């Protein structure tokens, strides 16, 4: 095991994707179970997301879901990837994370994004406008002020029980968001892997502009994207089909649907436009056998200097998804994968030589 991989943390973001014929509640329960399984494998943190009025995603209330995940686990860090700050009042977000940190001290992360609702209708329902994303830096400053008591916009108002607590904040970003993270002195979570050159340029800009803060003395980079591991390259690529089709469908029909099984997708007759988006959705991800993915991850970490990789993979078959996470855990030597990695796995990987750092 190379020191590059051994020194890198590996974490997971799960978006509570629904499957064809499945209710949202099942997807949410699957998210909680997945967190338990990944904790046993030794992943560093488990995050959940925020999406509104999306048929294919059940995760609309990330702090509520994070509470369920934290209650069902013991050691893995739990957080959001992320709470979309422009959709909310900063004081309310501070209160929610204050409650989470009070209930599960030392395990909660506050991942924050700058997106607003996907359509005009959703934004109206949330009481927001697309221009609210432009106030992200201002909202972020207010939010952090509710924790350290420095906010002055609302005199004699306090966010209880958040004030005085330390909940690590992370900024989810591309482009301009990376500059906001640097100016605020916060860790950066950036993707996706399909736009490697753009991502690396944003990381370089973040590091060069980073200003130390009370929250982080040095830059901290988390790169996020899809990583799929299976016994063969073809089997790993097949895991990508459901998400690629959902993305293609959303780009051509305006609706992000539940995941379909790969065999259904392979039998579809696609329009030229659908096929173009579908093929585009399959490019740029990291997939293959454990050995191949480990080598690709080592190259990614060397290029980006990232301290952490946040895996965002989803697919129709939950068992195959868990097998992929198990294969990745063996490939990068996570501590909980040791028993399964005795000897060699289906991809021919040797037993892990070193654990990921705590």
């Amino acid at each position: 095991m190379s020191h590059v991989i051994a020194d890198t943390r590996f974490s997971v973001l799960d978006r509570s994707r629904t499957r064809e014929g499945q209710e949202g509640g099942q997807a949410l329960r699957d998210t909680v179970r997945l967190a338990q399984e990944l904790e046993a494998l030794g992943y560093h943190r488990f995050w959940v997301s925020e999406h509104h009025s999306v048929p294919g995603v059940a995760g609309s209330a990330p702090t509520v879901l994070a509470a369920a995940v934290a209650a069902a686990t013991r050691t893995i860090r739990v957080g959001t990837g992320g709470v979309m700050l422009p959709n909310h009042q900063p004081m309310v977000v501070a209160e929610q994370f204050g409650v989470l940190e009070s209930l599960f001290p030392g395990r909660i992360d506050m991942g924050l994004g700058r997106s607003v609702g996907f359509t005009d209708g959703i934004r109206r329902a949330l009481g927001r406008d697309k221009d609210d994303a432009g106030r992200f830096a201002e909202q972020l400053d207010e939010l952090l002020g509710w924790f350290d008591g420095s906010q002055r916009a609302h005199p004699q108002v306090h966010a209880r029980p958040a004030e005085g607590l330390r909940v690590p904040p992370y900024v989810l970003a591309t482009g301009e968001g990376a500059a906001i993270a640097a100016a605020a002195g916060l860790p950066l979570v950036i993707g996706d892997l399909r736009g490697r050159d753009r991502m690396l340029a944003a990381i370089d800009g973040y590091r060069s502009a980073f200003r130390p803060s009370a929250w982080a003395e040095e830059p901290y980079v988390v790169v996020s994207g899809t990583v799929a591991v299976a016994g063969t390259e073809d089997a790993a690529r097949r895991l990508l089909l459901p998400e690629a089709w959902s993305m293609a469908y959303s780009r051509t029909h305006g609706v992000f649907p539940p995941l379909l099984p790969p065999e259904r997708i392979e039998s579809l007759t696609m329009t030229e436009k659908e096929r173009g988006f579908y093929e585009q959705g399959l490019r740029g991800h990291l997939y293959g056998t454990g050995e191949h993915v480990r080598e690709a991850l080592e190259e990614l970490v060397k290029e980006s200097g990232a301290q952490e990789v946040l895996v965002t993979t989803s697919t129709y078959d939950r068992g195959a998804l868990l097998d992929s996470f198990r294969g990745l855990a063996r490939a990068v030597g996570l501590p909980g994968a040791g028993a399964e990695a005795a000897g060699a796995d289906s991809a021919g990987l040797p037993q892990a030589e070193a654990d990921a750092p705590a």
Side-chain angles (χ1 to χ4, degrees):
M1 183 69 59
S2 76
H3 72 88
V4 173
I5 292 298
D7 291 343
T8 303
R9 291 168 167 167
F10 288 87
S11 302
V12 171
L13 165 65
D14 187 68
R15 290 182 293 147
S16 303
R17 293 288 273 116
T18 58
R19 276 77 174 168
E20 183 183 44
Q22 181 187 81
E23 298 295 327
Q26 184 61 51
L28 296 173
R29 289 187 289 273
D30 284 347
T31 290
V32 175
R33 280 195 291 271
L34 180 61
Q36 294 172 316
E37 291 156 340
L38 297 184
E39 177 180 60
L41 288 170
Y43 282 89
H44 182 65
R45 67 181 98 241
F46 186 91
W47 281 4
V48 296
S49 63
E50 175 183 340
H51 296 273
H52 298 284
S53 190
V54 178
V57 181
S60 58
T63 54
V64 177
L65 184 53
V69 170
T73 55
R74 296 185 304 106
T75 58
I76 195 168
R77 296 196 64 86
V78 177
T80 56
V83 165
M84 297 299 118
L85 193 52
N87 289 337
H88 310 279
Q89 290 293 338
M91 178 183 177
V92 174
V93 175
E95 290 173 333
Q96 292 171 346
F97 279 97
V99 170
L100 284 170
E101 177 63 20
S102 297
L103 292 172
F104 309 102
R107 292 179 55 208
I108 301 301
D109 300 321
M110 184 168 59
L112 306 162
R114 61 191 295 266
S115 297
V116 292
F118 182 65
T119 66
D120 288 339
I122 296 171
R123 289 190 288 267
R124 285 194 296 270
L126 291 169
R128 294 295 183 265
D129 184 86
K130 62 181 179 180
D131 293 334
D132 287 330
R135 298 181 53 246
F136 178 69
E138 173 188 338
Q139 293 172 314
L140 179 62
D141 184 65
E142 180 185 337
L143 172 62
L144 299 180
W146 288 113
F147 283 92
D148 63 18
S150 65
Q151 75 81 25
R152 297 291 180 264
H154 307 280
Q156 299 181 327
V157 181
H158 302 270
R160 309 289 190 194
E163 189 170 306
L165 296 181
R166 294 280 297 182
V167 181
Y170 296 77
V171 173
L172 281 63
T174 56
E176 181 183 351
I180 293 173
L186 299 181
L188 173 70
V189 182
I190 188 165
D192 63 34
L193 304 181
R194 291 174 294 182
R196 184 75 63 92
D197 290 342
R198 180 183 176 188
M199 181 186 75
L200 294 177
I203 291 172
D204 287 343
Y206 163 75
R207 287 203 176 95
S208 64
F210 183 86
R211 298 192 308 197
S213 71
W215 300 96
E217 295 182 358
E218 298 178 345
Y220 187 91
V221 174
V222 183
V223 293
S224 66
T226 296
V227 181
V229 178
T232 67
E233 182 176 338
D234 286 343
R237 184 180 185 276
R238 206 158 187 263
L239 296 178
L240 308 179
L241 304 189
E243 192 69 41
W245 170 245
S246 287
M247 185 63 68
Y249 190 91
S250 72
R251 297 289 296 274
T252 53
H253 296 78
V255 176
F256 198 75
L259 297 172
L260 297 179
E263 56 270 20
R264 282 278 309 282
I265 297 167
E266 291 169 330
S267 68
L268 292 173
T269 301
M270 301 183 191
T271 67
E272 183 177 351
K273 190 173 184 179
E274 288 172 340
R275 176 66 63 178
F277 283 125
Y278 175 66
E279 295 294 343
Q280 180 182 336
L282 291 172
R283 292 194 291 266
H285 305 296
L286 302 186
Y287 66 91
T289 64
E291 181 178 5
H292 174 80
V293 167
R294 182 180 62 204
E295 292 172 353
L297 285 169
E298 183 170 358
E299 179 182 356
L300 170 66
V301 172
K302 285 180 178 178
E303 287 183 348
S304 64
Q307 289 94 334
E308 187 168 344
V309 175
L310 180 69
V311 181
T312 61
T313 310
S314 59
T315 193
Y316 177 84
D317 187 328
R318 185 181 178 277
L321 178 64
L322 180 57
D323 284 344
S324 177
F325 284 127
R326 286 171 175 156
L328 176 60
R330 292 194 294 270
V332 301
L334 296 188
E340 293 184 15
D345 68 8
S346 59
L349 280 172
Q351 186 171 353
E353 298 173 7
D355 293 343

